[in-house]
Amino acid sequence: MAAIGSAFLSATLRLTLLTLQPVLDAAEEKQISTPSVKDWLDGLKDVVYDAEDLLNQISYDSLRCKMENTQPASKTNQVWNFLSSPFKNIYGEINSQMKDMCETLKLFADKKDILSLQTKTIRVSHRTPSNPMFDESVMVGRKDDLEKVINMLLSESNTNMGIVAIVGMGGLGKTTLAQLVCNDEKVQNHFDLTAWACVSEDFDILNVTKTLLESVTKTPSGTDNLDLLRVDLKKHLKDRRFLIVLDDLWNDTRHDWEDLVSPLIYGKHGSRVIITTRHKKVADAARTFPIFELDPLSEEDIWSLLSKRAFGSGDFSETQCRNLEPIGRKIAKKCGGLPIAAKSLGGLLRSKVDTEEWIEVLNNDIWNLKDDNILPALRLSYQYLSS
């Protein structure tokens, strides 16, 4: 009976967690301006972590109990061993913990109504994989950086495969710079082929290798066998001078890096690999030389980028543009030199034609958030999205 009760409480606990899930999006948005919601969300996170630990413990204890009860022994000995073991106390202790956990989570669920957190439809989004295509007409402030990286790629090297790392914080334009490099006429004339793979945080050598092969051959691959993919990639790269871009690399494990590039070492002398990463230790693991550290854009470049997005196809008169420019320049100054912030806010301001709306963005409380891991400009764009 205790085991049945434990299973029931475990299911109840899981159901309670699922019940709270739909309001988390609303809480995430509202915590920006409402401290009580932030406290509610922080407290809920602590309880959820404890609940996950407890459910993991239940799974472990259940498995251990089954393993011990399947050992060769008579039925009488099995029963006696169970009654004399710690398992006779496990269900009672776990049941008590789960009851407390369920009650605590119920309190959080009840308080969501007091905080006016309305259930929102959960949207699952994934970062769109990057690719080498880029609209150069919107490029701002990277001409010198472009020339420097190109010179690194075209310079002489003693190795068959030279590696250039573009390093910088998120939103600085590393991917954009790599796209510009790939589309440069001198680069295209120098290399026999170019290939591109977006690596991202979820490092999967099979997917990256397959993506590279498909980028080289321009055809879908019909296998998920890593060894076959490596052999095929090696065959297509052998004796050809290639340029490969591994965008958004996070993994700093030397062994994983060597596994990934093992098919690439057979290219023609002068082949190059560009990696873009937020962390210098990733570049160090790849033993890259040289490392190109990308700097923030100037305030003038940021304003140029923001204004292109804001006024490009918006319903603005020339007079309105002149009136809004002083406010827009102040907003651009708050972007911290990050192109992604300028693009994001430029897109937001495109739909706002009144001076008061621009001033509202400029004076929003989000700019004053301290210890915030998310750039305020992106928080603002998120806040102004429709539900």
Side-chain angles (χ1 to χ4, degrees):
M1 290 298 292
I4 295 174
S6 181
F8 173 77
L9 284 171
S10 177
T12 303
L13 180 57
R14 293 179 190 275
L15 181 60
T16 306
L17 290 172
L18 289 174
T19 302
L20 283 167
Q21 183 64 40
V23 301
L24 293 182
D25 283 352
E28 180 186 357
E29 178 178 342
K30 199 168 183 179
Q31 67 165 325
I32 297 170
S33 56
T34 309
S36 58
V37 174
K38 186 177 188 307
D39 293 340
W40 179 88
L41 191 58
D42 290 342
L44 177 59
K45 286 178 181 178
D46 291 338
V47 179
V48 168
Y49 292 150
D50 291 341
E52 290 176 345
D53 290 341
L54 181 59
L55 290 173
N56 288 336
Q57 179 188 337
I58 292 171
S59 299
Y60 169 75
D61 288 336
S62 175
L63 178 61
R64 188 168 60 135
C65 183
K66 288 179 181 179
M67 290 296 294
E68 293 197 7
N69 284 335
T70 54
Q71 299 299 319
S74 67
K75 292 293 183 181
T76 303
N77 287 340
Q78 287 182 15
V79 173
W80 176 255
N81 289 338
F82 177 76
L83 291 176
S84 61
S85 72
F87 290 120
K88 63 182 174 58
N89 297 319
I90 285 177
Y91 287 122
E93 181 181 344
I94 288 180
N95 286 356
S96 176
Q97 292 181 48
M98 280 195 292
K99 284 180 181 178
D100 293 341
M101 200 80 67
C102 287
E103 290 175 2
T104 303
L105 287 172
K106 188 176 183 301
L107 290 175
F108 276 96
D110 293 341
K111 195 173 181 180
K112 74 178 174 62
D113 298 324
I114 300 175
L115 295 172
S116 300
L117 294 173
Q118 302 298 321
T119 299
K120 295 180 68 176
T121 301
I122 299 176
R123 295 178 297 173
V124 179
S125 62
H126 301 277
R127 181 192 173 198
T128 302
S130 61
N131 61 73
M133 304 308 295
F134 179 70
D135 181 5
E136 295 187 32
S137 65
V138 298
M139 192 273 287
V140 172
R142 292 298 186 200
K143 186 176 180 180
D144 290 343
D145 297 324
L146 175 62
E147 288 301 320
K148 289 176 183 177
V149 174
I150 290 176
N151 289 336
M152 292 177 183
L153 294 175
L154 305 186
S155 63
E156 287 297 322
S157 172
N158 295 326
T159 61
N160 275 18
M161 184 186 69
I163 302 167
V164 174
I166 302 175
V167 180
M169 66 180 292
L172 206 51
K174 301 181 296 296
T175 299
T176 299
L177 181 56
Q179 290 169 327
L180 288 169
V181 169
C182 285
N183 286 279
D184 184 84
E185 186 177 356
K186 289 183 294 185
V187 171
Q188 292 181 344
N189 291 334
H190 182 77
F191 294 99
D192 298 326
L193 64 89
T194 60
W196 184 289
C198 182
V199 183
S200 190
E201 291 180 77
D202 184 19
F203 182 83
D204 187 327
I205 190 171
L206 172 62
N207 287 336
V208 176
T209 304
K210 189 173 184 178
T211 301
L212 282 177
L213 178 60
E214 292 175 347
S215 181
V216 169
T217 62
K218 304 297 187 290
T219 57
S221 173
T223 180
D224 286 327
N225 184 301
L226 180 57
D227 290 334
L228 293 179
L229 291 170
R230 282 172 167 166
V231 170
D232 208 7
L233 182 59
K234 172 186 172 182
K235 180 181 70 175
H236 283 88
L237 296 179
K238 189 174 182 181
D239 298 327
R240 301 177 75 183
R241 182 161 51 192
F242 60 77
L243 172 63
I244 286 178
V245 178
L246 299 174
D247 186 40
D248 198 22
L249 187 63
W250 289 70
N251 192 307
D252 60 358
T253 304
R254 178 66 186 172
H255 176 73
D256 290 340
W257 168 257
E258 290 175 344
D259 279 350
L260 177 62
V261 299
S262 60
L264 312 184
I265 61 177
Y266 300 95
K268 189 176 179 180
H269 184 82
S271 294
R272 295 289 185 267
V273 174
I274 295 176
I275 66 172
T276 70
T277 181
R278 300 184 185 189
H279 306 290
K280 185 175 179 296
K281 62 181 180 180
V282 175
D284 292 337
R287 295 181 183 172
T288 56
F289 182 82
I291 293 177
F292 184 79
E293 296 193 21
L294 200 58
D295 294 322
L297 290 178
S298 67
E299 288 182 16
E300 188 63 33
D301 287 334
I302 287 293
W303 163 242
S304 176
L305 188 55
L306 188 151
S307 60
K308 279 186 177 182
R309 289 295 181 102
F311 300 132
S313 58
D315 187 20
F316 296 93
S317 67
E318 186 175 340
T319 301
Q320 282 176 314
C321 290
R322 285 198 303 268
N323 292 337
L324 292 173
E325 180 174 345
I327 307 169
R329 285 184 175 276
K330 292 179 181 179
I331 294 174
K333 188 174 182 179
K334 292 188 174 186
C335 289
L338 298 184
I340 192 173
K343 293 177 183 178
S344 178
L345 283 181
L348 169 65
L349 294 169
R350 180 180 298 188
S351 62
K352 301 182 181 300
V353 297
D354 295 329
T355 303
E356 291 77 12
E357 293 179 304
W358 282 52
I359 292 175
E360 180 184 349
V361 172
L362 174 64
N363 296 329
N364 195 289
D365 290 338
I366 289 180
W367 293 111
N368 300 321
L369 286 176
K370 296 181 179 180
D371 300 325
D372 184 35
N373 291 326
I374 300 178
L375 188 70
L378 302 184
R379 284 270 199 183
L380 271 169
S381 298
Y382 176 77
Q383 177 174 299
Y384 279 98
L385 286 174
S386 66
S387 60

